[in-house]
Amino acid sequence: MRRLLILLCGGAMGMFALAVRGAAAADPLEARVTISFSSAPAAHVIERLAAAAGVKAEIAAGSMRPVTITLTNVKLVTALNAVCDNAFCTWRLAGSLKVTPLPSEGSALLPPRISLALWDVSPTDVFRALGAAIGAAVTIEPSLATDPVSFNFKDVQTAEALNLLCNMLQCAWDFDPQRGLRVMQKR
């Protein structure tokens, strides 16, 4: 069965178009898409792509840049890579489309996945262990919370792990390949 979805809209988010072609296949990433968005919120673009492919989008907390992009007859995987490259995010398909915003362009250079388990350790030690696991220097603001934490990450996106930790500890993070991982109190 082949399907075609065409969506054309205009308004405060700019003009955009989305067309999806492809079989209702087991792998939605194989669907062919044609998209054209101008200054559209990245979450909006990602949600439309996910819906058109028949999956739900789960977007983690954080901000992404607006998206201006035009692609013609490309696989959904290609469109998602291009959108996240434009908006500063990472994505993975695990039942639903899970999207993690990145704080900066340098953050896209983090190692893609991490596994780490720690119990009853200070947040400072958590970030030092994470830095050691990814081979990066770590700078931590002294005002970070000090109550012990426990967690177990197994094969998760590194940015997603950092976002989860910082949501829990009320902090923010950034990564630069030369400077390393920087963790600061949320302002």
Side-chain angles (χ1 to χ4, degrees):
M1 176 171 133
R2 297 193 58 80
R3 67 181 171 149
L4 170 65
L5 169 71
I6 299 176
L7 175 65
L8 297 169
C9 293
M13 292 180 287
M15 292 297 295
F16 65 89
L18 167 66
V20 177
R21 290 182 180 88
D27 186 359
L29 296 176
E30 293 297 314
R32 292 278 179 182
V33 299
T34 295
I35 62 174
S36 183
F37 290 91
S38 179
S39 298
H44 178 77
V45 175
I46 292 164
E47 288 166 352
R48 295 304 170 270
L49 284 169
V55 296
K56 181 179 187 253
E58 295 178 27
I59 301 173
S63 61
M64 297 181 281
R65 293 190 319 180
V67 174
T68 297
I69 191 167
T70 299
L71 299 170
T72 304
N73 197 30
V74 299
K75 290 182 179 179
L76 179 62
V77 64
T78 301
L80 288 168
N81 286 336
V83 167
C84 275
D85 187 44
N86 192 300
F88 292 152
C89 61
T90 61
W91 68 272
R92 67 184 168 93
L93 187 62
S96 62
L97 179 62
K98 298 181 186 311
V99 178
T100 303
L102 298 172
S104 68
E105 191 170 359
S107 299
L109 300 175
L110 278 167
R113 306 197 71 72
I114 188 169
S115 294
L116 189 63
L118 297 169
W119 285 269
D120 294 324
V121 296
S122 75
T124 300
D125 289 341
V126 169
F127 288 108
R128 284 190 182 128
L130 201 143
I134 64 173
V138 179
T139 304
I140 302 170
E141 225 178 56
S143 59
L144 195 62
T146 58
D147 293 335
V149 295
S150 299
F151 68 90
N152 184 3
F153 293 123
K154 185 173 180 172
D155 195 33
V156 299
Q157 289 181 328
T158 305
E160 185 177 342
L162 284 163
N163 282 347
L164 288 169
L165 285 168
C166 277
N167 285 338
M168 181 174 69
L169 299 169
Q170 299 301 303
C171 63
W173 67 275
D174 193 10
F175 178 79
D176 178 88
Q178 284 76 37
R179 190 180 69 229
L181 177 63
R182 187 170 57 109
V183 180
M184 54 265 164
Q185 185 175 15
K186 200 174 271 186
R187 303 194 194 295

